[in-house]
Amino acid sequence: MINYLRIIRSFFQILRYRVWGVHITSYVCAKSNIYKSLKMGRYGYIGPNANIGPNVRMGNYVMIGRDLLIAGKDHIFNIPGTATIFSGRPKSLQTIIEDDVWIGARVSIMEGVTIGRGSVIAMGSVVTNDILPYSIVGGVPAKLIKNRFENEDVKIHDEYLKKKPFMGSFASKKS
């Protein structure tokens, strides 16, 4: 019964923000500013006060802390004789957040980057470049702190992520 209530709650959040590309098992918290073009896989979570610009795609199991900002690279500023405000904007670049990514609170992500599967982004980081899979990064700009797994563990986790997400319960299945 609780699982159905969660799905109903998620459905109303999707209606509220008109983000039709968000899977019903994912949840978007209140007070967020999210473009309708957002695509998000299963069992995701977006914390309160998120500001997510256009052309963002998120995989399954993405977990985002409060105050996320995905923006930038959207102003032309190098035309001599034209004020920046009148210079227009370039075409929006796609931002990709792959499966099983955990993004801490108050993280800023530059439009157009790819955050590899299984990565962890530390609270307060500014991501300006692509992040390799299974990286733990932090800082301004975000830099590699360490790898999340060793080689054998990466293979095990990749096999887990290849499985279709379980739909019966929000709790993880026991093997």
Side-chain angles (χ1 to χ4, degrees):
M1 181 68 173
I2 287 182
N3 292 338
Y4 293 114
L5 293 175
R6 288 179 181 158
I7 289 172
I8 290 168
R9 178 184 69 179
S10 294
F11 177 73
F12 282 110
Q13 288 299 314
I14 290 167
L15 280 177
R16 178 180 188 180
Y17 293 108
R18 293 179 175 85
V19 285
W20 309 116
V22 173
H23 193 271
I24 195 73
T25 58
S26 291
Y27 184 70
V28 178
C29 284
K31 299 180 183 176
S32 292
N33 181 18
I34 299 172
Y35 266 72
K36 295 174 189 174
S37 61
L38 174 66
K39 303 239 181 295
M40 185 175 196
R42 298 174 185 215
Y43 301 104
Y45 173 82
I46 298 175
N49 303 317
N51 283 288
I52 300 175
N55 214 3
V56 176
R57 184 170 51 104
M58 298 179 188
N60 298 318
Y61 316 115
V62 173
M63 191 168 51
I64 298 172
R66 66 179 307 114
D67 302 318
L68 170 72
L69 173 63
I70 299 177
K73 289 189 182 177
D74 63 347
H75 287 84
I76 297 171
F77 55 86
N78 56 355
I79 301 174
T82 305
T84 303
I85 197 166
F86 301 121
S87 295
R89 292 183 166 177
K91 186 177 182 210
S92 176
L93 301 172
Q94 185 170 50
T95 304
I96 300 170
I97 300 171
E98 295 180 350
D99 293 342
D100 191 32
V101 171
W102 177 17
I103 299 173
R106 295 182 182 88
V107 169
S108 296
I109 299 172
M110 183 73 75
E111 176 185 282
V113 303
T114 296
I115 299 175
R117 73 185 172 285
S119 294
V120 177
I121 313 298
M123 179 171 67
S125 297
V126 176
V127 179
T128 58
N129 293 307
D130 292 351
I131 304 296
L132 293 173
Y134 300 110
S135 298
I136 299 174
V137 300
V140 179
K143 296 199 184 304
L144 180 67
I145 296 170
K146 68 179 193 173
N147 291 319
R148 182 174 167 195
F149 297 126
E150 299 298 323
N151 292 341
E152 274 308 305
D153 292 337
V154 167
K155 291 176 187 174
I156 293 168
H157 204 72
D158 278 343
E159 287 302 313
Y160 169 77
L161 292 177
K162 286 179 188 175
K163 295 178 186 175
K164 185 174 181 178
F166 181 64
M167 287 296 295
S169 171
F170 283 81
S172 62
K173 282 176 74 173
K174 305 251 185 216
S175 301

